[in-house]
Structure formats: structure tokens, C-alpha cells
Amino acid sequence: MSSLKGKVAMITGAGSGIGQATAKLMAERGASVLCTDLNPETAEATAAMIREAGGIAESLVCDIGSEDSIKAAIAHAETRYGGLDILHNNAALQDPKVLAKDADIAAMEIDIWDRTMAVNVRGTMLGCKHAIPAMLRRGGGVIVNTSSTYGLAAYISLPAYSASKAAINSITQHVAAAYGKRGIRCNAVAPALVLTPLTASFIPKPLIDINVDGACTPFLGGPLEVAQAVAFLASDDARFITGHILPVDGGTLCTQPTVPASRSFFAQAAS
Ligand SMILES: NC(=O)c1ccc[n+]([C@@H]2O[C@H](COP(=O)([O-])OP(=O)(O)OC[C@H]3O[C@@H](n4cnc5c(N)ncnc54)[C@H](O)[C@@H]3O)[C@@H](O)[C@H]2O)c1
């Protein structure tokens, strides 16, 4: 198990889903965790869960769409805990109404495109921009960004979301290249569909089944499977891993696109 003992970690979007699971796991592994989110109640709920379990955590409102907000959160980590070792740039615009409108590039509403880029790309960049100087003052650090399999291979909808995640991959590699010699590592996790309370609430069951069929594993991962990858990348066990975009996808991207249909074909032929 990768220890994070003595580390100071800040997580964006820690009030729900993957961010919440990462905050809890990092605290279990010994980190002091600053749980930030746009939503003060959910951020505090995550921090309270950690404290009740005996960990060290506090909540702070941070809107990754606002440079002042990110700057203040990182400054708070430094003042309160003496520095920042880990940033999990996790938050993204996940509003189902926005995602529903991000369907067809030929009918793209500019506001949808701009909001997606402003939160996902600009927010991730701002996290890096302000975490890097803090980490340099500490003698090094680790940034783990949250990409998506949609940033690595195309889907039939979500063009803005996918482009934003591809940009996050590029930011990840840039930070690794530019700051690696000064002790900062930067990686990204690229989850496939992960069942969180939010995704489970709006993704129809047949579409979830299609995603299970597209994976090599018999199940879809949950927030914990992603959190485990993030905690590993953030730990010293991953000290020689940087600039990497790690699919956390049950093998979805490693197969020929024909695999699910071929599986059905051979099953039918055998019956
Ligand atoms: N769930 C999936 O299937 C899936 C798959 C691939 C990638 N991802 C990525 O994982 C990350 C987390 O996704 P999730 O499914 O856990 O989402 P979620 O909606 O459960 O949680 C996202 C959290 O981010 C917060 N948030 C939203 N906008 C914010 C902002 N501007 N500033 C600060 N916080 C903000 C929300 O309040 C929420 O607590 C996202 O980057 C998402 O794109 C998710």
C-alpha cells in the first residue's frame, strides 16, 4: 500500500464521486487533506467523514473557474499545513444539462464550449500554475490531473468535454517536462465511465451495460478504483513515473473496437 504519511494534499471537487473517494483514501494513507469544492456543504461532509475516521482534513470552498479562488486555496494549504505536496486536479464541469448539450460539434453552442474549456482546461491549468510555486518552495511535489478515456479516443458525442480532457493530457505532459528536473511530477488518470451517484442518476441502464461490455473486466470501476490509482501516482512508489496518462478503464481502450460484437458473435455461434 502506497503511504502518504506526512504529505499535505489538496483535492478539487472533493465533495462527490472520485474526488471524495480520493480525499478519503489519501487521508487513510496518512495525508492531511484539504477538501475543496464549489459546494461548501459537500466539501465539509467529505472532510467530516475523514475526521470521524480519525484522519486529518478540513474543507474549503474553491471554484476552479476562478483564479483568485484557486490561489487562495493553495495559499491556505501553505499557511495551515506548512506547504503543499500533492494536488489532485479533479473537478470538472459535470452538469448533466451541459453534457446533454455537448452532443454535436456541428450544433455546438459557443457558451457550452467556452464553459467547458473555462472550467476543465483553465481550471486544471490554474491548479498547476499556483501549485507549482508552492511545491517548489517545499522542494518538490506531485500533481495528478483527471483526464478521461474520452481525451484519448473519440466518442460519438461530448466533443467539448473530450477536447478539454485531451488538453489536460497535454498540460500533464508539459508540467512533467518543464518541472521534472525541479522535483515536480505530473501524471493524469483517464477513467472510463465510473458509476458515481451523479452518473448513475442520469445514464440509462442499457448505456451502462454497453460500457460494461466494452471493458475487459466483468464490471465497471467505481470512484475507489480511480482513487487507488491517484493515490499510487501521488505516492513515492511512483517516483519514476511522470508525464503518464493512465487509463483506469478496465481495459476498455486496449482492445480492438470489434471485441464486444465479436464476443456476442462467438457466443451465439457456440450456442
Ligand atoms: N464519473 C465518470 O464516469 C468519469 C469518467 C471519466 C472522467 N471523469 C472525471 O472525473 C472527475 C470527477 O468526476 P466525478 O464523476 O467524480 O464528478 P462528480 O460530479 O461526482 O463530482 C465533481 C465535483 O466537482 C465539483 N465541481 C464542479 N464544478 C466545480 C468547480 N468549478 N470548482 C470546484 N469544484 C467543482 C462538484 O461540486 C462535485 O462535487 C471529473 O474531472 C470528470 O470529468 C469522470
Side-chain angles (χ1 to χ4, degrees):
M1 194 179 75
S2 310
S3 170
L4 297 174
K5 201 165 168 34
K7 304 283 186 192
V8 178
M10 171 172 146
I11 292 151
T12 66
S16 167
I18 293 167
Q20 181 179 78
T22 304
K24 288 165 70 180
L25 190 66
M26 285 193 181
E28 270 171 36
R29 295 190 177 180
S32 301
V33 181
L34 186 57
C35 303
T36 74
D37 203 288
L38 196 53
N39 182 328
E41 283 92 31
T42 58
E44 178 49 28
T46 301
M49 277 183 232
I50 292 172
R51 290 193 299 267
E52 276 157 31
I56 301 170
E58 71 175 307
S59 63
L60 194 71
V61 174
C62 174
D63 174 2
I64 67 160
S66 151
E67 179 160 23
D68 287 347
S69 188
I70 291 188
K71 206 173 160 181
I74 289 169
H76 180 83
E78 285 196 285
T79 316
R80 176 86 170 76
Y81 300 99
L84 181 71
D85 301 298
I86 296 164
L87 171 66
H88 182 200
N89 256 330
N90 163 75
L93 193 57
Q94 291 276 93
D95 180 348
K97 288 191 201 113
V98 173
L99 296 179
K101 286 187 172 180
D102 180 17
D104 179 356
I105 199 164
M108 180 63 68
E109 290 175 27
I110 294 307
D111 178 54
I112 296 295
W113 180 270
D114 287 348
R115 281 172 64 193
T116 304
M117 297 302 153
V119 177
N120 299 7
V121 183
R122 194 155 59 85
T124 298
M125 176 278 292
L126 287 173
C128 295
K129 175 179 172 182
H130 292 287
I132 287 167
M135 289 175 177
L136 291 175
R137 285 191 281 276
R138 185 89 157 160
V142 189
I143 298 171
V144 183
N145 295 325
T146 303
S147 178
S148 163
T149 49
Y150 286 18
L152 291 167
Y155 190 54
I156 51 172
S157 70
L158 298 175
Y161 177 82
S162 305
S164 77
K165 294 298 185 177
I168 288 170
N169 297 344
S170 177
I171 292 170
T172 302
Q173 292 171 333
H174 171 76
V175 172
Y179 286 95
K181 294 288 187 203
R182 298 170 73 186
I184 294 177
R185 291 188 297 108
C186 186
N187 292 290
V189 286
L193 175 64
V194 166
L195 292 178
T196 64
L198 180 76
T199 51
S201 73
F202 77 92
I203 299 181
K205 171 88 169 56
L207 209 47
I208 291 173
D209 292 342
I210 287 170
N211 280 270
V212 177
D213 207 26
C216 300
T217 49
F219 57 87
L220 286 184
L224 181 60
E225 279 74 26
V226 182
Q228 283 166 330
V230 175
F232 164 68
L233 290 171
S235 78
D236 291 344
D237 288 351
R239 63 195 288 264
F240 197 49
I241 301 175
T242 193
H244 194 67
I245 318 298
L246 176 65
V248 183
D249 68 344
T252 300
L253 290 187
C254 82
T255 57
Q256 298 285 337
T258 51
V259 164
S262 302
R263 207 184 284 124
S264 302
F265 173 82
F266 285 113
Q268 265 181 351
S271 64

